[in-house]
Amino acid sequence: MSGIGPVEPGEGTHVEDAPDGHATPPRGRLAPLYARHRRAALAAGAVALVLAGGLLYATRPRPEPPAPPPYPSQAVEFTYLGPRTPPAGLPAGAFSFGIAVTTRDGPPVTVTRIAQPLPGLALSSRPRPPFRGPADGARTVVITLRVTDCGRVPKNAGLPFLDVTLRNKRAMEDHSFILGGGYAHDLSEAVEVACSNDTAS
């Protein structure tokens, strides 16, 4: 009995290998179905890539935003420097003292107003507001007070303070600075001298 050889392809059978060894896509009735599925698979892959990229972008680590500058009242300091010579031309009863305006932190602070709450006293300053404190270091400001009504000036001011309005990049604030016991003592003495002269005259 003779052996059985390889099955011969039937008549009309034709198989081609693609150059890379893969079978070529089907032809005939199955070709449109294959093309549709292939396009859908490619589109789904592209969508998946876009979504993955968007997710990575949305969840990427972001740097912390910079901290805002401090409020001006937290960034500046007023320090009493003691008596100063009053400007020329003022009437008797005027007295002056110096303060140091120091910016401790953050951007420069502008002083837009200086006042004091005691009745019977008028206030002026050199320089006049508005003026800016330095970004680092201190600026000396000379405050001059003049007694306008001895009957309304308290004989003992306790711990008097200065009312100021401050502005920087963050905010504008009204704030009161207590200048300490040295200022209270010198102010009380100056008021006593001014009002004694007023009574004597």
Side-chain angles (χ1 to χ4, degrees):
M1 182 176 179
S2 62
I4 300 175
V7 178
E8 294 293 332
E11 187 176 344
T13 302
H14 183 70
V15 176
E16 291 182 0
D17 287 338
D20 59 359
H22 296 289
T24 58
R27 297 178 182 175
R29 288 181 303 168
L30 296 179
L33 181 63
Y34 174 83
R36 278 200 303 272
H37 283 286
R38 185 169 181 271
R39 283 196 296 269
L42 290 174
V47 170
L49 283 174
V50 170
L51 289 176
L55 183 62
L56 284 174
Y57 181 80
T59 58
R60 76 193 187 284
R62 292 186 176 128
E64 291 292 327
Y71 286 99
S73 63
Q74 298 169 346
V76 76
E77 185 175 75
F78 280 56
T79 306
Y80 180 60
L81 299 177
R84 294 290 188 269
T85 302
L90 289 179
F95 52 95
S96 298
F97 58 90
I99 58 172
V101 180
T102 306
T103 303
R104 298 190 306 260
D105 189 21
V109 175
T110 299
V111 180
T112 64
R113 180 185 67 98
I114 301 179
Q116 62 81 40
L118 299 177
L121 287 177
L123 180 146
S124 61
S125 71
R126 296 196 317 265
R128 291 190 300 176
F131 60 84
R132 176 176 283 191
D136 52 354
R139 177 172 192 167
T140 299
V141 179
V142 176
I143 303 292
T144 298
L145 296 174
R146 182 171 57 86
V147 177
T148 59
D149 187 346
C150 284
R152 300 184 65 199
V153 180
K155 296 300 182 284
N156 186 354
L159 284 178
F161 50 86
L162 289 181
D163 292 325
V164 297
T165 301
L166 306 169
R167 184 183 72 236
N168 68 359
K169 289 182 178 179
R170 181 167 186 179
M172 178 178 281
E173 282 186 298
D174 292 325
H175 192 74
S176 297
F177 285 96
I178 296 176
L179 299 180
Y183 171 57
H185 176 268
D186 292 345
L187 177 60
S188 295
E189 279 198 348
V191 167
E192 184 178 349
V193 170
C195 289
S196 296
N197 292 339
D198 185 65
T199 303
S201 61

